[in-house]
Amino acid sequence: MTGNGKGSSAVIDERPWYMANELLAFLIEMVALGLLCWWGLTASGNAAISVLLGLGIPAVAATLWWLFAAPRAPLRPSLSGVLFVKVLVLGGGALALYGNEHPVGALVMAVVTIVNITVAEVFRRPGSAGGKGR
């Protein structure tokens, strides 16, 4: 990386509100994985199945995210593909919270997630590394 950041493959957006939204996105992603784990661990009366679900579902979600939705994802689908993965993983987290009998929390998570994704996609700078190929 050069001293001024130009020529680098990763573009850092210096708008503070945009960076705050990106931090919120990361926190939402981590919370969604935790909620999927929690749901999986409580979904069955069988301990072995609960452990498999509690570890397996977040592992699958994290793998999908890494492959298709992460800023440096090795596979770059279209914007609709990325949004599909985001809805699947983050919406799954909200549904997991609902499944654990917290409907208000699930609604709050869903609304915050929708606002966060909308802000990220609407205000993404054209040609930025995160928006390239999406």
Side-chain angles (χ1 to χ4, degrees):
M1 179 184 242
T2 61
N4 62 6
K6 292 185 180 177
S8 170
S9 62
V11 176
I12 298 175
D13 194 321
E14 295 178 3
R15 296 174 287 180
W17 62 269
Y18 187 81
M19 292 304 295
N21 195 60
E22 290 296 303
L23 176 61
L24 178 60
F26 177 74
L27 293 174
I28 292 169
E29 294 157 19
M30 294 301 103
V31 167
L33 291 175
L35 291 171
L36 290 169
C37 180
W38 179 32
W39 178 84
L41 290 172
T42 60
S44 173
N46 183 313
I49 292 173
S50 291
V51 169
L52 284 173
L53 290 173
L55 298 177
I57 291 173
V60 169
T63 301
L64 285 172
W65 194 272
W66 169 71
L67 284 172
F68 304 109
R72 295 183 183 176
L75 304 175
R76 297 263 190 198
S78 65
L79 177 59
S80 60
V82 172
L83 292 176
F84 176 75
V85 171
K86 288 182 177 189
V87 166
L88 191 66
V89 173
L90 303 177
L95 285 175
L97 191 55
Y98 184 82
N100 278 334
E101 300 178 4
H102 293 281
V104 175
L107 180 62
V108 169
M109 174 144 181
V111 169
V112 169
T113 299
I114 289 167
V115 169
N116 177 263
I117 291 172
T118 302
V119 168
E121 295 306 325
V122 168
F123 294 103
R124 186 176 307 279
R125 286 188 175 160
S128 70
K132 189 175 181 181
R134 293 186 180 175

